[in-house]
Amino acid sequence: MASSWLLLASIAFVQLIVVRSGNVVPVLLWSGDASHDLINPLHKTSRSEFEKVLIERVAKTQPPIMVFVKENFCVEEIKYHKESLQQLNKAGSLTYLASVESAISTFENLPNYNITVEDDFETVVDGQLVEVPINDINAIPDVYNVIRESSPNLVIALTGKSCSYSSSERIKRAADDPKADSDSWIVAPDGKILLYAEKKPMLKINGTEYELKTLLSSSIKKLEKNRTEVQMNFASDKLGTVTLVADFNVLNGYVKLVDITYAVENKSDNPIVLKSKTNIEFPTTNFSYHCSNSILFSYVYPDPDKKVLNMIVLNLTDIQVQLNTTVFGDAYDCVGFTTVPIWMGLFVTFILGLIMIWGISMIMDIRTMDRFDDPKGKTITVTAQE
């Protein structure tokens, strides 16, 4: 039947979701019923529901039933043996149940049926159910063709005892915890400021790098009407507790990160003000500042003993910051208007424009003849002076 073939072909394209092992297996049932059932392949069929399906198929006439049972049978095997199973279209309409509980037990408990387990038989009579252990699904069409000659009303089914690795049953999974990301960190003291970075801050002191691994605490302090400080305490394996104080200045409707003060616990040279060449500035109303590049805050000081310049550099990667909010708004990005792709487009357009202007000037300089020969008149003579 064409409808059975279409249903069987669609099974190969069902997306399967891996779950725990269990007594839940797919069932393929070919019966003489003309009706055609399309059951949701992601639906889990309980034992009582499957029993109702069987009773609707066989309770009235009690036709002979032959159940092919595989030890391990999962939905993936239907796709692998699709061509062989398509040969059973003449057995009747196909009912496909992707996930059935206790399928074998339901077959064995059918009322008014004599249950036998055989792998070598010649015929099946009405009211008889034969379980046939099978290892090769490709052999099912040949067995069916032999038995069908003596039992034309034969109903056949294919199922398994268990599925050891997958099923089409869907299960709920907990959403990923955003806090599980150990590299990113976020500061949100009392909703007055929101500061995020994709990677942990890196300190480079005189060529040696130190990673600030854990954000211990954060607080906000308003010094003046237009000035706010955000203090962040980080833990470092080699430096101990490192304090970073970001100084924000609000002026004329814009927020500017002026500098970051760096200090290490129990050090005499604290604190040190780190400056950045990047202009970190954004509007105060519903806007944030974002930069996917690395922003460097640095301080250079001379070493009187070695007569060299020492440097302290704080590296912040992919940061986003906004004041007086709990959710980031539209971002002012650190990339300027004339980005590299824009410059490339302007350069190519300029070159093509020059070529076009040169071509037009060449076409406009072409001169046509202003004198023509008259075949009946005197021949035009062009002197050397002309």
Side-chain angles (χ1 to χ4, degrees), residues 27-322:
V27 175
L28 296 174
L29 180 65
W30 288 268
S31 65
D33 191 353
S35 63
H36 183 76
D37 292 339
L38 181 60
I39 300 177
N40 184 2
L42 297 179
H43 173 68
K44 181 178 180 180
T45 306
S46 65
R47 179 172 177 173
S48 60
E49 292 174 339
F50 182 51
E51 185 177 1
K52 292 179 181 179
V53 173
L54 285 180
I55 292 176
E56 290 177 359
R57 296 291 185 275
V58 302
K60 296 180 180 179
T61 59
Q62 293 186 355
I65 302 176
M66 186 166 52
V67 181
F68 294 95
V69 180
K70 204 170 181 295
E71 287 290 334
N72 183 31
F73 183 60
C74 298
V75 179
E76 289 84 353
E77 297 191 56
I78 300 175
K79 179 179 68 173
Y80 298 148
H81 300 88
K82 180 180 65 174
E83 295 182 359
S84 297
L85 295 177
Q86 286 175 357
Q87 301 176 24
L88 298 172
N89 291 338
K90 57 186 177 181
S93 64
L94 170 64
T95 299
Y96 168 59
L97 303 171
S99 183
V100 180
E101 291 182 339
S102 304
I104 299 297
S105 177
T106 307
F107 277 112
E108 293 176 349
N109 291 323
L110 273 177
N112 303 322
Y113 266 88
N114 181 23
I115 311 299
T116 58
V117 179
E118 300 181 26
D119 56 2
D120 187 11
F121 56 93
E122 296 181 355
T123 183
V124 184
V125 297
D126 291 347
Q128 182 181 8
L129 188 148
V130 180
E131 292 185 14
V132 184
I134 190 167
N135 294 322
D136 185 11
I137 295 179
N138 295 326
I140 294 179
D142 296 333
V143 176
Y144 167 74
N145 291 331
V146 173
I147 304 300
R148 182 173 176 268
E149 295 179 0
S150 59
S151 303
N153 297 326
L154 182 65
V155 174
I156 62 173
L158 172 61
T159 185
K161 293 183 178 180
S162 64
C163 177
S164 62
Y165 57 92
S166 66
S167 172
S168 58
E169 176 189 7
R170 294 187 296 179
I171 60 174
K172 293 181 179 179
R173 295 190 303 172
D176 296 333
D177 186 3
K179 297 182 180 179
D181 187 358
S182 58
D183 290 336
S184 62
W185 54 278
I186 189 167
V187 177
D190 302 329
K192 297 296 182 181
I193 190 170
L194 194 61
L195 175 61
Y196 166 84
E198 185 184 47
K199 296 183 179 180
K200 299 173 182 177
M202 294 292 296
L203 267 175
K204 189 173 183 180
I205 304 176
N206 301 331
T208 304
E209 291 187 348
Y210 302 93
E211 185 180 37
L212 307 185
K213 289 191 173 182
T214 307
L215 177 63
L216 301 177
S217 62
S218 61
S219 60
I220 188 169
K221 184 178 180 181
K222 196 165 185 178
L223 302 180
E224 301 172 0
K225 181 179 180 181
N226 297 326
R227 188 179 171 192
T228 302
E229 284 187 351
V230 179
Q231 179 174 321
M232 299 162 286
N233 298 319
F234 290 89
S236 176
D237 293 339
K238 298 180 180 179
L239 297 176
T241 302
V242 178
T243 301
L244 301 178
V245 180
D247 187 2
F248 290 92
N249 190 14
V250 182
L251 185 63
N252 297 329
Y254 278 81
V255 181
K256 183 176 182 179
L257 178 56
V258 181
D259 52 51
I260 294 180
T261 302
Y262 151 79
V264 180
E265 188 178 15
N266 301 325
K267 286 259 182 126
S268 58
D269 56 350
N270 294 332
I272 298 175
V273 178
L274 307 178
K275 299 283 187 179
S276 176
K277 295 182 180 179
T278 304
N279 185 26
I280 305 176
E281 190 173 2
F282 56 97
T284 57
T285 306
N286 300 327
F287 281 95
S288 64
Y289 174 84
H290 172 260
C291 189
S292 57
N293 301 325
S294 295
I295 298 181
L296 304 179
F297 293 82
S298 60
Y299 172 75
V300 181
Y301 63 97
D303 189 342
D305 297 331
K306 299 181 181 180
K307 297 182 180 179
V308 295
L309 293 177
N310 293 332
M311 180 178 291
I312 299 176
V313 179
L314 173 65
N315 186 354
L316 299 178
T317 304
D318 196 2
I319 68 169
Q320 189 168 1
V321 60
Q322 185 173 349

Side-chain angles (χ1 to χ4, degrees), residues 3-14 82 86 94:
S3 58
S4 299
W5 185 89
L6 290 175
L7 177 60
L8 189 59
S10 66
I11 295 172
F13 300 98
V14 175
K82 180 180 65 174
Q86 286 175 357
L94 170 64

